Amino acid sequence: SYCGPFNAEFRHLLLNKYFYADCVKKRIPVTENLSVTKFLIDEQQITDWNIEGLPTDDHSVQNGIMITRSIKYPLLVDPQGQGLQWLRTRLEPNNVVVTQLTARNFADQLRDCLFDGLPLVIENLGQEIDPMLNPVLEKTIIRTGRLLNIIINDKPHEYNEEFRLFMTTKLANPHFAPELYAKTTVVDFTVTMAGLEQQLLGRVISREKAELEEERAKLVE
């Protein structure tokens, strides 16, 4: 999650140079040239994500791992909208609600999702968020008997543990406050030239060599 805000090149530098060298220096057992992606997830899951619309490049797969496994709610830096499109498709069977902070009924949508345990996607965030979301991001849940409540605008709202929150921004280089980084998992979905090459290669193979793609899908089943 520490690598989330950075692009693919800097993530590779952090993982394979600085983090690895620090582990070796401190005599912490570590595998050389470890592929974090292959270590954390299998090909079948990657294939499922690709079917849902997640791009095929390694950077996007890393983002998918962070988004699905992070304890904190994810905030996607997503200028091209690829992450948002994937979330829409992935969460559609769960009756996802997609909204914006500027929506007139945003407070009602937030309350309903908290109560019903529905996934909520907030798109087009700016560099600041509504203070109303702070208790949600901080997960200040109060248990009263069997009920879970969360205080928003000084009013208790029933909380369903199935609730999930996702946020996206189209800003290419947002300057978020340090407090927001502490409360969320910021994930950079910006498409780089190398990532675009991987995505285009994947599309060419799936179109021109469909039999290879089918064979790979059978192997991971």
Side-chain angles (χ1 to χ4, degrees):
S1 61
Y2 290 105
C3 297
F6 304 114
N7 59 30
E9 290 78 7
F10 197 63
R11 284 185 192 176
H12 180 79
L13 185 66
L14 285 175
L15 290 172
N16 296 281
K17 183 177 180 180
Y18 295 111
F19 290 171
Y20 175 78
D22 191 49
C23 288
V24 172
K25 182 180 179 180
K26 295 179 179 178
R27 297 183 179 180
I28 299 174
V30 60
T31 302
E32 187 176 3
N33 298 323
L34 174 67
S35 172
V36 177
T37 300
K38 293 181 179 179
F39 179 75
L40 292 176
I41 201 167
D42 56 38
E43 287 291 335
Q44 180 61 57
Q45 184 63 74
I46 295 175
T47 300
D48 292 341
W49 287 349
N50 295 155
I51 294 173
E52 293 169 349
L54 183 71
T56 55
D57 60 292
D58 293 338
H59 183 74
S60 297
V61 174
Q62 292 174 8
N63 291 341
I65 293 173
M66 286 184 281
I67 291 170
T68 56
R69 297 196 177 190
S70 175
I71 297 176
K72 295 183 288 186
Y73 295 126
L75 169 52
L76 281 60
V77 179
D78 188 29
Q80 289 81 25
Q82 292 186 338
L84 176 60
Q85 185 59 44
W86 174 58
L87 287 176
R88 284 177 177 269
T89 304
R90 175 176 174 78
L91 300 172
E92 184 177 6
N94 302 109
N95 299 317
V96 60
V97 176
V98 181
T99 186
Q100 300 183 26
L101 287 178
T102 54
R104 291 184 178 181
N105 61 336
F106 173 74
D108 294 332
Q109 290 175 316
L110 175 62
R111 181 195 61 212
D112 293 342
C113 288
L114 287 169
F115 179 81
D116 295 325
L118 300 177
L120 176 66
V121 176
I122 304 175
E123 60 178 344
N124 295 331
L125 279 183
Q127 296 188 137
E128 298 180 357
I129 64 169
D130 194 315
M132 179 195 310
L133 287 175
N134 285 332
V136 180
L137 297 179
E138 296 169 0
K139 297 184 179 180
T140 52
I141 312 300
I142 302 172
R143 181 178 293 274
T144 305
R146 295 184 178 181
L147 296 179
L148 297 176
N149 289 283
I150 186 168
I151 306 298
I152 299 177
N153 291 338
D154 298 326
K155 295 181 180 179
H157 297 275
E158 191 167 336
Y159 176 82
N160 189 316
E161 292 181 298
E162 296 296 320
F163 170 78
R164 289 173 291 168
L165 174 65
F166 305 86
M167 298 166 287
T168 71
T169 178
K170 290 185 177 180
L171 299 175
N173 188 27
H175 297 280
F176 296 129
E179 295 80 10
L180 187 57
Y181 279 97
K183 296 174 183 177
T184 64
T185 296
V186 178
V187 181
D188 179 28
F189 246 99
T190 305
V191 179
T192 63
M193 186 59 68
L196 184 59
E197 289 176 356
Q198 286 189 3
Q199 292 180 28
L200 291 175
L201 179 60
R203 293 196 176 190
V204 169
I205 292 176
S206 63
R207 180 179 292 272
E208 301 296 335
K209 296 291 184 178
E211 67 277 5
L212 293 178
E213 187 66 21
E214 292 176 1
E215 183 177 351
R216 186 183 73 86
K218 291 179 180 178
L219 289 174
V220 299
E221 287 180 356

